[in-house]
């Protein structure tokens, strides 16, 4: 059975205590890039809070990974889309937070390191 939940990270009180699989596309573009947007840029039509994050784009993902440690089953998995500029940092963070997990980086179709998979 697959169930989908809508929540601001884990704030929804109806969420289960733990998950088998979490797939997340959290805001990861550095907030400093906000000023670079031009009116014709496709990102300019998205709400800023859905795209941009502090700490070079890692703040929300860092908070998410901290919270996920207690929310993922022992044999669960987490898949995250990340900014390629932060992939190595976030992979290291995931390895630190999930020391018994297999953490790997994956590239998108353009060859950019865009995904982190954590197999607990």
């Amino acid at each position: 059975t697959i169930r989908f939940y809508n929540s601001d990270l884990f704030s929804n009180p109806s969420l289960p205590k733990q998950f088998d699989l979490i797939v997340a596309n959290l805001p990861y573009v550095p907030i400093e890039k906000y000023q670079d947007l031009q009116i014709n840029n496709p990102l300019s039509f998205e709400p800023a809070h859905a795209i941009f994050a502090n700490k070079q784009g890692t703040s929300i993902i860092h908070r998410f990974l901290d919270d996920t440690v207690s929310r993922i089953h022992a044999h669960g998995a987490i898949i995250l889309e990340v900014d390629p500029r932060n992939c190595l940092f976030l992979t290291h963070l995931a390895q630190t937070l999930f020391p018994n997990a297999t953490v790997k980086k994956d590239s998108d179709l353009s060859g950019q390191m865009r995904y982190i998979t954590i197999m607990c």
Side-chain angles (χ1 to χ4, degrees), residues 59-106:
S59 63
I60 296 170
I61 294 173
H62 194 164
R63 194 172 95 217
F64 168 78
L65 288 174
D66 282 339
D67 292 348
T68 305
V69 170
S70 64
R71 302 301 294 250
I72 194 77
H73 280 128
H75 298 288
I78 304 160
I79 302 169
L80 293 170
E81 182 176 357
V82 299
D83 186 313
R85 295 169 286 199
N86 296 323
C87 192
L88 291 177
F89 167 77
L90 292 170
T91 299
H92 177 71
L93 175 64
Q95 290 168 331
T96 301
L97 293 172
F98 299 90
N100 298 319
T102 300
V103 180
K104 68 176 202 163
K105 306 174 291 293
D106 290 307

